[in-house]
Amino acid sequence: MRRKKMFSVGVSQAGKVNVMTSDQGGLKNEQIADLAVDKIVSISDEAPAHIRQQASQFREHLKKVLYHYLLLARKEERASIVHILRSNGQKEMAEYIRRL
């Protein structure tokens, strides 16, 4: 009689996990950019020095690009909220939000 394998058990790695907290509201744009860059780019300690240097420069450039677009996204989201509030007659509340 031949036995069938119902399932196999293996071990896998979850990879690197980053956790960031804030005690003054939500995360800052720079913190979010750092988290994103850490997920997108990793640099091996075993890579040749010139590759590590190039990857490091790419990480810094990518962080600046992400930071810029995070600022833009938050600004545009506030503009959308202000528009909705004004459209619904909440002009004072819209002005508070606009000034954030």
Side-chain angles (χ1 to χ4, degrees):
M1 179 179 190
R2 209 164 105 170
R3 276 190 121 142
K4 290 185 178 181
K5 224 181 206 186
M6 301 214 26
F7 60 89
S8 93
V9 177
V11 176
S12 65
Q13 293 181 338
K16 183 178 167 185
V17 177
N18 288 348
V19 176
M20 198 171 289
T21 62
S22 174
D23 61 355
Q24 298 175 351
L27 295 176
K28 295 178 180 171
N29 294 326
E30 188 171 283
Q31 292 171 305
I32 295 170
D34 281 334
L35 288 171
V37 167
D38 286 346
K39 283 290 187 185
I40 297 168
V41 179
S42 63
I43 304 170
S44 172
D45 293 336
E46 297 170 9
H50 69 282
I51 299 293
R52 283 195 317 271
Q53 181 183 10
Q54 189 176 27
S56 181
Q57 289 173 346
F58 175 71
R59 279 178 63 88
E60 288 307 308
H61 176 71
L62 181 60
K63 182 179 172 182
K64 290 175 185 174
V65 170
L66 289 170
Y67 179 80
H68 168 77
Y69 282 99
L70 282 165
L71 287 175
L72 181 60
R74 288 184 171 188
K75 178 181 174 185
E76 292 300 317
E77 182 180 43
R78 281 191 306 273
S80 295
I81 292 168
V82 166
H83 174 74
I84 291 167
L85 288 169
R86 284 183 179 153
S87 296
N88 289 301
Q90 300 291 324
K91 292 182 181 8
E92 188 176 349
M93 182 64 73
E95 187 57 24
Y96 290 135
I97 300 295
R98 187 192 65 75
R99 286 192 233 152
L100 288 177

